Amino acid sequence: MPATNEVIYSDLNFKFTKNPVTKKLSVLKNADAVKQALKILITTDKYERPYKPFLGGNIRGKLFEHFGPIVQMEVREQIQLAIQNYEPRVKILDIRVDANDDRNSIEVTIEFFIRNQTGPEATTISLERIR
């Protein structure tokens, strides 16, 4: 049996659901694991993690500003910088930031390639004001 050099990215599912067969915590693999990591990275603010103070997208504060083209560009740049610095598995194709003033939210769509995988992936993350 030949050995394969296929890279598999895996992570715990942070919804903490059980696998119905094994009764162990479910595991996310490849694209799902990377999408979850991107969501966590983007929604984390700087200085939120004790031993990694600069980790995160730091965009929660932008949710309370008047959303115009300049803020949209700043959010896109902060997300791009965070992904480039802290997520080496991803090569960014496009980042789209759309504001929904009626819902006081921002939708971020990230199109990317996962290194050592074929085909592009995309994920959409909604960020809302909670105050």
Side-chain angles (χ1 to χ4, degrees), residues 58-65 67 71 74-75 78 106:
N58 204 36
I59 59 173
R60 191 173 296 150
K62 300 288 183 192
L63 291 172
F64 295 95
E65 293 185 17
F67 200 76
V71 174
E74 288 174 352
V75 168
Q78 285 178 325
I106 297 174

Side-chain angles (χ1 to χ4, degrees), residues 5 13-14 20 26 31-32 36 46 73-75 80 85 116:
N5 291 333
N13 186 350
F14 288 143
S26 62
D32 294 329
Q36 176 179 276
K46 292 189 180 197
M73 183 183 65
E74 288 174 352
V75 168
Q80 184 173 3
N85 289 339
N116 300 324

Side-chain angles (χ1 to χ4, degrees), residues 28 34-35 41 48 59-60 68 72 82 88 95 110 117 121:
L28 298 176
V34 173
K35 288 177 184 179
L41 179 65
E48 192 172 313
I59 59 173
R60 191 173 296 150
Q72 182 178 4
I95 298 174
I110 305 168
Q117 304 287 324
E121 296 286 337

Side-chain angles (χ1 to χ4, degrees), residues 32-57:
D32 294 329
V34 173
K35 288 177 184 179
Q36 176 179 276
L38 286 174
K39 181 178 180 180
I40 291 169
L41 179 65
I42 289 169
T43 58
T44 301
D45 281 335
K46 292 189 180 197
Y47 302 103
E48 192 172 313
R49 303 264 176 113
Y51 297 103
K52 293 187 179 183
F54 300 112
L55 178 85

